[in-house]
Amino acid sequence: MLEGVTEKNTAVGTRSVEAQRDSIDPAIDALVGEWLTLPDVAERFGVQVTRIRQLLRDNQLIAVRRGENHALHVPAGFIVEDHTVKGLTGTLTLLKDAKFTDAEALRWLFTPDDSLPGTPVQALRENRGTEVRRRAQAEL
């Protein structure tokens, strides 16, 4: 056993490594721009944070760890008033089916596409979901 390393220290160290591993890539962070914490999303939706966590488990939203405390954040572009952007869930499903990781899906959704024009998230927000899903399906 290593001298001075306790079970508690090991657990804390593991959590720290996991938090660093799960942190968002700075390039993707910059692409997304504005982020909301889970409590912020819950407040906008008028629900408990546990409901937002369920949406994450059901792949209806994506959240990544970012910031100094590595808290989960959702891109603000996914939220319109008190609900998710129309067509987001179907698009996320298509990207998951194409084996995209959450980070890859975020990069795809927030990278400008001249054929749309704009980003896929902007197109979803402008009710052009069919065009976005067609491009996502092409990734399969």
Side-chain angles (χ1 to χ4, degrees), residues 19 33 66 105 112:
R66 61 183 299 277

Side-chain angles (χ1 to χ4, degrees), residues 79-136:
I79 311 300
V80 177
E81 296 173 13
D82 63 350
H83 59 279
T84 58
V85 172
K86 181 180 175 185
L88 178 66
T89 300
T91 303
L92 291 176
T93 299
L94 286 169
L95 294 174
K96 286 283 184 192
D97 289 349
K99 306 292 187 231
F100 276 53
T101 65
D102 286 352
E104 290 168 336
L106 287 172
R107 184 182 307 276
W108 189 88
L109 286 162
F110 286 92
T111 298
D113 181 342
D114 292 337
S115 68
L116 279 174
T119 67
V121 166
Q122 288 170 333
L124 287 173
R125 293 177 68 85
E126 295 167 359
N127 204 24
R128 295 186 289 135
T130 303
E131 298 172 51
V132 174
R133 283 187 299 283
R134 189 176 306 128
R135 284 163 182 77

Side-chain angles (χ1 to χ4, degrees), residues 11-60:
V12 170
T14 302
R15 246 183 282 125
S16 177
V17 169
E18 287 175 3
Q20 289 173 357
R21 185 189 67 220
D22 293 341
S23 294
I24 188 69
D25 178 290
I28 296 172
D29 195 351
L31 275 176
V32 173
E34 186 181 352
W35 297 86
L36 299 169
T37 63
L38 298 190
D40 291 339
V41 176
E43 185 178 323
R44 286 191 183 195
F45 286 13
V47 298
Q48 303 259 338
V49 173
T50 54
R51 175 66 182 128
I52 303 306
R53 289 186 184 282
Q54 184 63 49
L55 293 175
L56 294 171
R57 281 190 296 274
D58 293 344
N59 296 315
Q60 294 180 22

Side-chain angles (χ1 to χ4, degrees), residues 60-71:
Q60 294 180 22
L61 275 177
I62 294 176
V64 295
R65 296 199 178 278
R66 61 183 299 277
E68 288 181 19
N69 62 357
H70 300 285

